Amino acid sequence: MTAIPLWTREAAAPCERVAHALFVVFANGPLANDVPLSMAKYGVPGRDHLAHVAVSEHAGEGSQEWVDGWRTGPLREIAAQDLGAAAAALDAADRCFTVDAKVQDPEDLGYLQTAWALVRWLAERGATVILDAHVGRFLTPGRIAAVDAEFDVRREAQIVFESEATEAGGGHVIHTRGMHKWGRPDVVAVCSPDDAEAVAEVIWEIADGMAAGFMPGSPRQGVDVSDALTLYLDQDTRGYEAELGLNNDARVLVQEDGAPLVGLGPRLG
């Protein structure tokens, strides 16, 4: 069997947080039952990681409301954007499977690789659409990363720039989704459209560090952006977790005095 390179974490330390990866995999009709689960073929880095991932089927009349809950309302709008014409396969699905991985203080990301391996296995057996639930992203089987792909935080999470200016001074909220997958808070900031690209790059750097194991201290954590500029991750006293539907706690990236990042783009570029 060819070894699958393990996604490691360089700075992981126990902090009593649970990493949770959840995928909802849709299908129309029963899946093929003659496709064996090959660890090498689908990308399981080690047999021990299988113990952290559960696969459950949700089918039949009693499950229909639950299945529909993953493809209606705001999620249906996201599906239309992500899938295009392939959204028809989502609508046609009569069942779904959950691939659910939970690990407290994981030393590596092998559980996440294993969850993706099981998603690949379900896809080869006939599943048609995948929802990365914490990220809020729909995929077709052809868009699943290769078995030997290296970890990429930009594939495993996303940054959303909210189009509506809901904050004081015309600021927009920009935030991550998906950090729960490695047991870390999502990051929220407020900036202007002109700042968004530069702020996003800073947030990606923070997200990558958290994936590697970095956990912000409390009540705030300094983040050195350059020799001349330090930003801070503060506690979410505003309640962005609920407001944005993150299903995860959040930290807010601000200037030293707590001010938002509006107008800070030129100093970040």
Side-chain angles (χ1 to χ4, degrees):
M1 180 183 72
T2 302
I4 303 300
L6 180 66
W7 291 351
T8 58
R9 305 185 86 183
E10 299 175 0
C15 53
E16 298 185 356
R17 293 183 64 92
V18 175
H20 183 208
L22 177 64
F23 300 92
V24 184
V25 184
F26 296 86
N28 187 15
L31 299 184
N33 58 14
D34 59 351
V35 181
L37 175 58
S38 164
M39 293 174 59
K41 180 178 182 179
Y42 298 111
V44 180
R47 191 171 299 277
D48 291 348
H49 295 294
L50 287 167
H52 297 300
V53 189
V55 178
S56 302
E57 182 176 5
H58 309 270
E61 185 176 342
S63 298
Q64 198 60 50
E65 183 177 352
W66 195 89
V67 173
D68 287 343
W70 294 105
R71 58 181 175 185
T72 55
L75 281 173
R76 185 62 181 77
E77 297 176 14
I78 295 172
Q81 296 172 5
D82 290 349
L83 298 173
L90 176 66
D91 295 334
D94 65 357
R95 68 196 64 214
C96 72
F97 298 78
T98 49
V99 179
D100 194 341
K102 287 183 180 179
V103 187
Q104 181 168 324
D105 291 328
E107 295 182 356
D108 55 60
L109 301 177
Y111 65 92
L112 180 56
Q113 289 176 275
T114 300
W116 276 118
L118 292 169
V119 169
R120 291 187 190 96
W121 179 55
L122 293 172
E124 183 152 327
R125 293 170 59 197
T128 54
V129 174
I130 302 98
L131 168 63
D132 188 342
H134 289 307
V135 181
R137 177 185 291 144
F138 287 87
L139 306 168
T140 54
R143 292 178 58 202
I144 301 173
V147 168
D148 59 353
E150 296 182 356
F151 177 81
D152 183 350
V153 70
R154 301 187 189 217
R155 184 183 65 241
E156 297 294 338
Q158 72 169 320
I159 290 179
V160 178
F161 180 75
E162 300 291 344
S163 59
E164 186 176 353
T166 57
E167 307 301 300
H172 295 244
V173 174
I174 185 171
H175 61 93
T176 59
R177 284 192 183 276
M179 305 282 280
H180 199 11
K181 291 165 72 173
W182 37 87
R184 293 297 182 263
D186 278 291
V187 179
V188 180
V190 174
C191 66
S192 73
D194 291 340
D195 306 316
E197 183 176 354
V199 170
E201 288 302 315
V202 172
I203 293 176
W204 278 129
E205 290 294 324
I206 295 170
D208 200 32
M210 288 193 190
F214 164 64
M215 176 64 200
S218 296
R220 66 174 3 201
Q221 172 75 52
V223 177
D224 292 331
V225 178
S226 68
D227 292 341
L229 179 62
T230 299
L231 301 179
Y232 292 83
L233 289 166
D234 279 359
Q235 300 287 338
D236 176 21
T237 58
R238 159 73 176 271
Y240 283 112
E241 173 186 353
E243 184 176 320
L244 298 171
L246 297 176
N247 194 31
N248 190 26
D249 61 322
R251 291 296 184 91
V252 184
L253 188 65
V254 297
Q255 299 185 61
E256 184 174 9
D257 61 358
L261 308 187
V262 175
L264 209 60
R267 295 183 63 190
L268 301 176

